[in-house]
Amino acid sequence: MTTYASKSEELTAFLYEYIHCIDDDRLEDWHEFFEDTCVYKIIPRENVELNLPIALVYCDNKGMLIDRVVSLRKANVYNLHYDRHIVSNVLVSDSATDDSWNMKASYIVYQTDLEGESMLFSTGKYDAIVVKNGSGHKFKEMIVTVDTYAVPNLISTPL
Amino acid sequence: MTVTGSSSEALTWPADDYSRVPYGVFTQQDVFELEQRRIFRGPIWCYLALEAEIPEPGNYKTAFIGDTPVVVCRGQNGDLNAFVNRCAHRGTLLVRDLAGSTDDFTCIYHHWCYDLEGNLIGVPFLRGLKGKGGMPDDFDMADHSLQRLRVGSYKGVVFCSFSDEAEPLLDYLDAPMLGYIDRLMPRPIEVLGYMRQRIPGNWKLYIENIKDPNHAGLLHQFQTTFGIYRNTQEGGSIFDHKRRHEIHYSTLGTDDEESIAEGYDGVSAFNEDFTLEDPSLIDYQDEIGDNRAICMMSVFPNLMIQQLSNSLATRQVRPRSPSEFELYWTYFGFADDSPEIRQMRLRQINMVGPAGLVSMEDGEVGRLVQLGIGHGQPGHSVIEMGGTGPIENQDTPLTEVPVRGFWKNYCELMDYTTGLSNERGGE
């Protein structure tokens, strides 16, 4: 079992597992990173600045995360691509309650099409609330604030 | 007229009923530039903003009409003003932020200052200093206002025109569209947020998409599967008298197992095995009382008003180049929304927008058509679903006649004539 020098290191590893799950196209496992009652939101920075609530994706329970992936696999037509997340500047801080931590990080996501051409797809930040769950952790909340709110065509796979 | 550019194929419109569209109209730079003059700055009205975005005197917001940057603001007297976002001195972009509130607009370059009506009211060092420099004596600030646009509003939906020749706004919108705006805006609205989508395709591909009810029940399998929209439901398309605008609608609960089985027999667009963990996403509250869960209105040339279940938005088409446009979504609810209906609107965005489970395919289709035609090769698209000939109201979703209504008005403004060949089929 991996031992971590600090909580920050441990939660950073949890975040790395999350992005590798997406980048490895294991989307069926994606919801496992979340509590049953959770918030996953992708919101344009434009709306955050204006204090407006509309998000690009807004899920308030794990079932909605599962539905999104099933829809992607079974119903939706979108640009076939690979994702590559780069996550940095991770900061972990205690929250008001025990066994719950605030985590923020910067991200960039490149997409690579089937011809092998890569492009910057999105940059922004994560604001997460992580809680202890058994021997591991889960996201209670994962807010993705998108700087690239002029979305390059469409958002299919999770950020 | 046949448009020929140094690097362009001649455009031909072989069918008098606009059932053949030359691919070059989606790819050529000279067409794009002509559209700016004859369509977006032509004798028509373009959607600009919502009054709810600029409720108080001094409020302003920037937008694009075609590829021209514009500003709309509310003057001290409460009137709406709009002008090209360009300093009358040296052409600098005047307003740099997206929205705000101000008493006047001052250019950052040489501090020329304009009032909320676009009148030039201040030029630093106008008369020079100690008898030296300054503007000539005959320089008159009254001759250097911002380029003002005509502005009109109906039920808080704001339009502008670059042209004095455009008919009055209400005549332009025409009765069916006015009635639909009445239906959707019965009381004060509140803006809930924005989305932007950069689609790598020509802007007119999106207009074709939105005026094509037939595709919605085939391409968008999320909604066919859950019965939000099926081509087997009752639906139709309604035009204004010039066939340039269009509303299409679909009525819930008007199909049954038999008609679905017949209509979608052997069609891959229908997936019965697909169930939702959280079906509350597709809950619909019939706010209006006509059970029309989908109503899409397109107003020539750059506006769509969306009602998908309880998700309400305007969509402004902002062309950027022959092969790219931005779709700018303004979501709204009503100021007196209950917390429950407001929450429904916020959750239903999962179905619409660039990440929408229903709508993400529209971005992909724009990209794929542009990829398919973007090589400068000749050819024509075929628009015959729903029949050829006259462009009349439709009482079925199995039609693309509204698309021909767009092309008819487009060609009239662009001065393209049809019938260069009487044979359908182009090359």
Side-chain angles (χ1 to χ4, degrees):
Chain A
M1 185 180 160
T2 313
T3 53
Y4 297 98
S6 68
K7 197 72 203 175
S8 175
E9 201 178 315
E10 190 177 356
L11 294 188
T12 300
F14 174 67
L15 181 63
Y16 287 174
E17 287 171 17
Y18 170 87
I19 65 162
H20 282 299
C21 173
I22 298 170
D23 290 353
D24 294 346
D25 195 31
R26 290 181 279 113
L27 299 185
E28 282 72 12
D29 299 335
W30 174 56
H31 69 89
E32 299 289 355
F33 288 84
F34 291 84
E35 293 263 284
D36 289 346
T37 301
C38 60
V39 173
Y40 174 77
K41 184 153 64 170
I42 302 176
I43 186 166
R45 185 169 184 169
E46 179 174 31
N47 290 346
V48 174
E49 301 283 340
L50 294 167
N51 201 26
L52 294 172
I54 282 288
L56 289 155
V57 173
Y58 172 45
C59 301
D60 58 18
N61 61 69
K62 192 155 82 176
M64 291 178 80
L65 302 177
I66 295 169
D67 290 341
R68 180 161 279 271
V69 172
V70 172
S71 182
L72 287 177
R73 299 293 200 209
K74 307 276 191 197
N76 291 125
V77 183
Y78 55 91
N79 60 318
L80 302 172
H81 69 273
Y82 300 107
D83 287 311
R84 185 65 63 199
H85 286 64
I86 308 295
V87 174
S88 187
N89 310 340
V90 180
L91 279 179
V92 171
S93 56
D94 291 337
S95 76
T97 58
D98 290 345
D99 294 338
S100 172
W101 298 268
N102 298 321
M103 176 161 61
K104 65 190 289 185
S106 307
Y107 76 85
I108 53 177
V109 175
Y110 283 87
Q111 280 191 355
T112 300
D113 69 17
L114 297 190
E115 302 292 334
E117 185 171 332
S118 301
M119 58 165 279
L120 175 63
F121 176 69
S122 183
T123 187
K125 68 167 180 171
Y126 295 138
D127 283 294
I129 299 173
V130 185
V131 295
K132 198 153 180 54
N133 182 301
S135 59
H137 295 90
K138 303 275 185 188
F139 288 119
K140 180 78 184 164
E141 197 171 287
M142 177 54 142
I143 310 295
V144 184
T145 302
V146 180
D147 293 347
T148 316
Y149 52 79
V151 174
N153 206 14
L154 61 92
I155 295 177
S156 52
T157 45
L159 290 173
Chain B
M1 186 180 102
T2 299
V3 172
T4 316
S6 56
S7 60
S8 310
E9 290 288 328
L11 300 179
T12 58
W13 301 82
D16 289 335
D17 61 3
Y18 306 94
S19 58
R20 292 293 181 281
V21 176
Y23 289 138
V25 82
F26 300 108
T27 62
Q28 295 176 9
Q29 181 67 32
D30 55 351
V31 172
F32 181 84
E33 289 167 11
L34 199 63
E35 286 168 353
Q36 301 308 316
R37 294 202 299 278
R38 294 195 178 161
I39 307 280
F40 296 100
R41 299 198 296 270
I44 57 167
W45 292 87
C46 292
Y47 166 63
L48 183 51
L50 296 171
E51 284 199 53
E53 297 175 280
I54 45 170
E56 303 294 332
N59 289 172
Y60 65 88
K61 174 186 168 62
T62 59
F64 287 87
I65 300 299
D67 64 355
T68 304
V70 298
V71 181
V72 57
C73 71
R74 194 176 288 277
Q76 294 300 350
N77 59 0
D79 289 350
L80 295 167
N81 305 312
F83 32 81
V84 175
N85 188 4
R86 181 178 65 222
C87 181
H89 178 207
R90 298 265 284 277
T92 316
L93 192 77
L94 179 65
V95 180
R96 297 191 299 158
D97 50 0
L98 297 175
S101 192
T102 188
D103 295 327
D104 51 52
F105 297 105
T106 301
C107 179
I108 56 131
Y109 200 171
H110 307 88
H111 290 217
W112 282 31
C113 181
Y114 304 87
D115 67 17
L116 297 176
E117 281 73 47
N119 302 305
L120 181 61
I121 55 171
V123 173
F125 303 110
L126 179 68
R127 296 299 167 221
L129 191 62
K130 297 180 179 172
K132 296 180 181 175
M135 300 297 274
D137 289 342
D138 62 356
F139 178 81
D140 185 351
M141 288 204 289
D143 295 336
H144 300 274
S145 303
L146 298 174
Q147 183 184 343
R148 291 198 54 161
L149 311 180
R150 292 171 68 195
V151 188
S153 173
Y154 183 72
K155 293 287 168 80
V157 186
V158 183
F159 297 83
C160 67
S161 179
F162 281 72
S163 169
D164 293 333
E165 293 168 33
E167 65 219 90
L169 176 62
L170 298 196
D171 294 345
Y172 180 79
L173 293 175
D174 206 0
M177 309 302 130
L178 297 175
Y180 178 75
I181 294 175
D182 292 341
R183 172 184 176 275
L184 211 54
M185 309 253 183
R187 51 193 196 277
I189 65 163
E190 182 177 330
V191 171
L192 301 180
Y194 302 96
M195 293 184 191
R196 298 168 187 252
Q197 184 173 10
R198 291 271 170 92
I199 296 182
N202 186 274
W203 67 277
K204 301 184 293 298
L205 295 173
Y206 188 74
I207 306 294
E208 287 194 319
N209 177 279
I210 200 76
K211 295 171 95 76
D212 168 7
N214 183 47
H215 94 279
L218 293 165
L219 176 67
H220 303 305
Q221 294 187 30
F222 184 90
Q223 57 183 5
T224 53
T225 301
F226 298 109
I228 303 169
Y229 180 95
R230 292 191 194 108
N231 284 358
T232 44
Q233 291 169 342
E234 283 179 17
S237 300
I238 302 162
F239 296 102
D240 64 312
H241 76 284
K242 288 203 68 171
R243 314 296 191 249
R244 59 187 159 192
H245 319 310
E246 183 249 345
I247 302 158
H248 62 260
Y249 61 89
S250 182
T251 309
L252 275 181
T254 50
D255 57 358
D256 52 32
E257 286 186 23
E258 192 182 339
S259 60
I260 293 166
E262 183 191 341
Y264 281 97
D265 183 33
V267 178
S268 63
F270 201 89
N271 190 339
E272 285 184 71
D273 301 330
F274 181 17
T275 56
L276 288 176
E277 292 282 322
D278 181 3
S280 71
L281 176 62
I282 59 171
D283 285 351
Y284 164 57
Q285 186 172 330
D286 186 9
E287 296 179 80
I288 295 155
D290 54 13
N291 218 23
R292 289 186 177 174
I294 290 194
C295 233
M296 295 288 175
M297 171 178 179
S298 62
V299 177
F300 191 93
N302 71 334
L303 169 66
M304 283 97 232
I305 304 182
Q306 154 202 317
Q307 179 226 330
L308 188 145
S309 297
N310 302 99
S311 182
L312 310 175
T314 60
R315 306 178 191 172
Q316 185 177 57
V317 174
R318 299 174 166 184
R320 292 170 54 81
S321 76
S323 57
E324 187 188 60
F325 69 98
E326 179 172 280
L327 197 55
Y328 180 85
W329 313 58
T330 305
Y331 284 82
F332 62 90
F334 299 106
D336 63 357
D337 275 350
S338 68
E340 292 75 25
I341 191 87
R342 180 61 61 87
Q343 185 67 8
M344 284 178 80
R345 297 194 210 286
L346 297 184
R347 292 176 104 240
Q348 286 173 359
I349 57 91
N350 288 293
M351 294 191 283
V352 286
L357 296 173
V358 171
S359 60
M360 72 173 73
E361 287 85 12
D362 290 328
E364 180 64 355
V365 157
R367 186 179 78 90
L368 291 179
V369 176
Q370 200 73 26
L371 279 175
I373 65 174
H375 315 286
Q377 292 158 15
H380 294 82
S381 64
V382 176
I383 308 173
E384 295 195 8
M385 196 81 182
T388 53
I391 299 163
E392 302 294 351
N393 287 350
Q394 302 287 298
D395 60 2
T396 168
L398 305 177
T399 183
E400 51 197 12
V401 168
V403 180
R404 294 195 285 118
F406 169 78
W407 288 115
K408 175 179 187 293
N409 285 276
Y410 176 88
C411 286
E412 286 171 8
L413 284 165
M414 292 288 279
D415 203 16
Y416 294 148
T417 53
T418 59
L420 297 178
S421 157
N422 288 323
E423 293 176 24
R424 292 189 195 284
E427 286 78 11

